[in-house]
């Protein structure tokens, strides 16, 4: 497999560019705008919306295999292409239980994986009694198309929930779940090959603010048992889905040391960006290896520790933030990855910086992550 079609042209596809070049793989991207980051590294681009399956038919003519950097696709329409022999990796059946958060939770629960308690809002008859049984806060989530906390609302009491539900035109597109007063949030990247081999990256700690990932500490400072719980979840999930490619798994570590699944991304993930600079095989190289039918690479860290800080937009601007980027890049063992987006908006992921550490020191890693942020964000 030499020509990989990628549905989506954002930074996740852009970061496949280097890996593709090293593997001798061509990337052909389907993305709506010529300003999207991956257009610059793609051999060819089909300009169309992510969910435009007619465009994916054209992408398929140019590619040996099609993969995803964005899962908000039209699965029903793509399945017609799959029936005509188009090769999707991961296969569409591995995506279909995941695209709706309610279906995803049901799938994970039915696999016996630990998840927060949840229910769909469409069951109006049961809603009143279920609401009475809830203890607050709860989390109201949009079932589809949520990302970076869009469509996730933490609700403190019954009156606020009823008020919020009354504002929502189509309640059936929401689910409600218990709020987990987590000790920390974790994530793990795992990859599965065409032959069913599974490799798992070091479990990391992710730190969110306003539901958006700000910092990642690799590896997470957790017990062996917690690492094993996380790895077991990854194995069970990828094998059950017969997934091919990289998957990102977001986890909650509860105060009593249990690991629960929050969310699955059927693609490379922000929590795995540290792997570009800190691991033997980056998540992007790994994903391409898997979808091209190659043996998987070594996911280990080649340094004792690494941190990754997202460079999130904090204003509306067209600045390229040269000064801050240079200051960040001047930090020893730091690499700045700048996605070359044309405009900054609050919360938009503009880039990230990874710093490798020479010793395993979680407290120092945390402090350094905050120090990087104080360079990036205006005080
Ligand atoms: P998205 O798909 O937008 O990333 P998530 O469901 O992952 O949304 O939620 C984003 C963040 O919101 C999580 O990382 C976590 O900090 C918080 N969150 C989500 N669900 C819960 C929950 N059930 N309990 C506590 N916090 C939650």
């Amino acid at each position: 497999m030499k020509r990989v079609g990628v549905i989506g042209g954002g930074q996740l596809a852009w970061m496949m560019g280097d890996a593709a070049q090293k593997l001798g793989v061509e990337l052909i991207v389907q993305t709506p705008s010529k300003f999207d980051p991956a257009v610059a590294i793609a051999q060819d681009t089909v300009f169309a919306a992510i969910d435009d399956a007619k465009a994916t038919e054209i992408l398929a003519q140019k590619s040996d295999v099609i993969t995803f950097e964005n899962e908000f696709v039209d699965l029903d329409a793509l399945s017609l292409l799959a029936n005509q022999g188009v090769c999707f990796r991961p296969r569409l059946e591995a995506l279909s239980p995941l695209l709706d958060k309610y279906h995803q939770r049901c799938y994970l629960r039915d696999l016996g994986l630990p998840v927060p308690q949840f229910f769909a809002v469409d069951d109006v008859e049961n809603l009143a009694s279920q609401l009475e049984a809830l203890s607050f806060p709860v989390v109201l989530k949009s079932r589809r198309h949520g990302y970076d906390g869009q469509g996730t609302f933490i609700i403190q009491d019954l009156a606020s929930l009823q008020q919020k539900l009354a504002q929502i035109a189509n309640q059936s597109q929401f689910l409600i779940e218990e709020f987990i007063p987590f000790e920390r949030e974790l994530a793990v990247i795992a990859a599965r090959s065409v032959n069913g081999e599974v490799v798992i990256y070091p479990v990391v700690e992710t730190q969110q603010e306003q539901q958006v990932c700000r910092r990642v500490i690799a590896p997470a400072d957790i017990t062996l048992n917690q690492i094993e719980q996380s790895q077991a979840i990854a194995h069970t999930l990828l094998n059950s889905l017969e997934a091919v490619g990289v998957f990102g798994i977001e986890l909650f570590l509860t105060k009593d040391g249990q690991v629960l699944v929050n969310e699955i991304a059927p693609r490379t993930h922000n929590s795995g960006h540290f792997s570009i600079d800190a691991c033997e095989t980056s998540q992007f190289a790994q994903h391409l290896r898997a979808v091209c039918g190659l043996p998987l690479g070594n996911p280990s860290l080649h340094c004792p520790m690494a941190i990754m800080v997202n460079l999130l937009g904090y204003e509306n601007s067209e600045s390229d933030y040269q000064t801050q980027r240079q200051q960040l890049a001047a930090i020893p063992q730091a690499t700045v990855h700048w996605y070359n987006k044309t405009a900054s908006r609050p919360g938009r992921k503009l880039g990230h910086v990874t710093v490798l550490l020479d010793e395993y020191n979680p407290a120092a890693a945390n402090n350094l992550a905050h120090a990087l942020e104080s360079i990036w964000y205006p005080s």
Side-chain angles (χ1 to χ4, degrees):
M1 300 275 184
K2 286 283 169 208
R3 299 174 305 161
V4 177
V6 184
I7 302 184
Q11 64 265 19
L12 299 176
W14 176 73
M15 283 184 269
M16 285 182 202
D18 269 354
Q21 210 173 21
K22 289 190 185 117
L23 288 166
V25 165
E26 282 182 24
L27 296 181
I28 305 101
V29 165
Q30 173 179 336
T31 202
S33 162
K34 67 176 190 215
F35 298 113
D36 289 340
V39 174
I41 56 92
Q43 261 74 35
D44 195 358
T45 306
V46 177
F47 289 106
I50 301 307
D51 60 357
D52 180 343
K54 284 256 178 301
T56 305
E57 192 169 358
I58 297 166
L59 183 72
Q61 286 156 9
K62 298 170 185 273
S63 314
D64 301 313
V65 58
I66 291 185
T67 192
F68 308 87
E69 77 112 48
N70 182 321
E71 64 275 30
F72 298 150
V73 292
D74 179 350
L75 275 187
D76 290 339
L78 292 187
S79 65
L80 301 175
L81 297 180
N83 291 340
Q84 290 161 20
V86 174
C87 176
F88 291 97
R89 289 182 177 160
R91 65 199 181 108
L92 303 180
E93 292 81 357
L95 296 190
S96 60
L98 304 180
L99 300 195
D100 174 312
K101 287 187 184 186
Y102 177 72
H103 294 156
Q104 185 183 119
R105 284 248 179 279
C106 293
Y107 184 82
L108 296 168
R109 178 198 59 199
D110 295 347
L111 269 181
L113 296 178
V115 289
Q117 284 181 40
F118 66 97
F119 62 91
V121 183
D122 59 359
D123 196 353
V124 182
E125 286 201 352
N126 287 328
L127 186 60
S129 63
Q130 277 168 318
L131 290 185
E132 273 163 31
L134 281 177
S135 52
F136 283 87
V138 294
V139 185
L140 178 69
K141 284 187 183 180
S142 171
R143 290 172 55 162
R144 283 183 178 269
H145 292 191
Y147 69 99
D148 288 349
Q150 309 276 334
T152 293
F153 308 97
I154 296 171
I155 308 245
Q156 297 300 336
D157 53 50
L158 185 59
S160 317
L161 179 61
Q162 282 165 332
Q163 195 183 14
K164 187 84 196 165
L165 286 174
Q167 288 165 2
I168 292 172
N170 197 345
Q171 295 186 354
S172 65
Q173 287 170 6
F174 283 78
L175 73 107
I176 291 174
E177 64 185 32
E178 81 181 289
F179 176 83
I180 305 296
F182 51 77
E183 210 259 316
R184 262 175 291 167
E185 289 188 82
L186 307 174
V188 65
I189 299 289
R192 187 171 175 281
S193 74
V194 172
N195 298 331
E197 179 196 2
V198 173
V199 300
I200 301 180
Y201 283 77
V203 181
V204 300
E205 175 181 345
T206 66
Q207 300 177 356
Q208 274 61 235
E209 283 179 25
Q210 270 108 42
Q211 282 121 50
V212 182
C213 177
R214 293 276 293 251
R215 300 167 290 274
V216 170
I217 314 283
D221 183 18
I222 53 175
T223 65
L224 184 59
N225 175 274
Q226 291 156 358
I227 294 172
E228 286 170 355
Q229 288 183 54
S230 309
Q231 292 173 334
I233 289 168
H235 268 284
T236 304
L237 179 74
L238 268 66
N239 285 332
S240 145
L241 289 169
E242 294 178 34
V244 171
V246 159
F247 278 53
I249 305 172
E250 298 174 15
L251 304 164
F252 297 127
L253 177 63
T254 64
K255 293 208 184 332
D256 60 358
Q258 299 305 303
V259 176
L260 303 183
V261 183
N262 174 25
E263 199 184 15
I264 312 298
R267 50 167 167 77
T268 56
H269 191 255
N270 192 180
S271 66
H273 291 357
F274 72 97
S275 64
I276 300 175
D277 302 297
C279 292
E280 297 291 341
T281 311
S282 79
Q283 64 165 343
F284 300 100
Q286 196 74 277
H287 186 69
L288 289 174
R289 296 188 74 86
V291 303
C292 291
L294 297 169
L296 299 182
N298 177 357
S300 310
L301 280 166
H302 56 60
C303 52
M305 230 183 162
I307 57 168
M308 192 281 318
V309 172
N310 275 331
L311 305 178
L312 301 178
Y314 50 82
E315 61 181 357
N316 290 304
S317 164
E318 296 197 353
S319 169
D320 63 2
Y321 299 96
Q322 276 293 349
T323 315
Q324 283 135 292
R325 282 160 58 191
Q326 278 165 9
Q327 279 178 9
L328 290 166
I331 290 169
Q333 305 201 77
T335 309
V336 177
H337 299 259
W338 187 252
Y339 308 152
N340 291 312
K341 295 187 180 175
T342 41
S344 168
R345 289 192 301 273
R348 195 171 193 207
K349 288 174 176 158
L350 303 177
H352 73 264
V353 54
T354 303
V355 184
L356 311 186
L357 279 77
D358 288 330
E359 58 171 1
Y360 179 78
N361 184 339
N366 247 301
N367 290 341
L368 181 58
H370 284 93
L372 296 179
E373 287 198 334
S374 66
I375 294 175
W376 173 250
Y377 296 102
S379 48

